[in-house]
Amino acid sequence: MKLNDIKTLQEVARETGIPVRTLQDRLKLKSLNMIEGEDYKKLGLRMPTLLSPEGIEKILKKQ
């Protein structure tokens, strides 16, 4: 994995047209099996959330 493969939640929202709030809610869904530290990393309050390529695939898949 290269640094270019990692994206922020904002970047994914801009590229897909899905609202950021919807993507934030999807991070909490048990059905998507998002694992913090592996699929995404929250950097802190008012800081971006980073997504790995696997995390991007999981968060964008249809339910």
Side-chain angles (χ1 to χ4, degrees):
M1 175 172 31
K2 295 183 180 182
L3 193 56
N4 292 344
D5 299 335
I6 298 172
K7 295 187 180 190
T8 65
L9 209 58
Q10 286 282 347
E11 290 173 330
V12 173
R14 251 184 264 126
E15 291 173 4
T16 61
I18 300 171
V20 175
R21 186 68 199 152
T22 302
L23 294 176
Q24 289 171 338
D25 290 342
R26 287 183 185 182
L27 286 176
K28 300 172 190 170
L29 290 177
K30 296 230 182 248
S31 63
L32 291 180
N33 197 24
M34 297 290 287
I35 303 167
E36 187 167 3
E38 188 174 314
D39 297 319
Y40 71 98
K41 176 72 176 160
K42 290 185 178 185
L43 297 181
L45 188 63
R46 296 185 170 257
M47 298 294 289
T49 301
L50 301 177
L51 294 166
S52 68
E54 294 83 15
I56 293 169
E57 287 179 23
K58 284 183 180 180
I59 205 167
L60 294 179
K61 79 175 183 179
K62 300 286 181 185
Q63 295 179 353

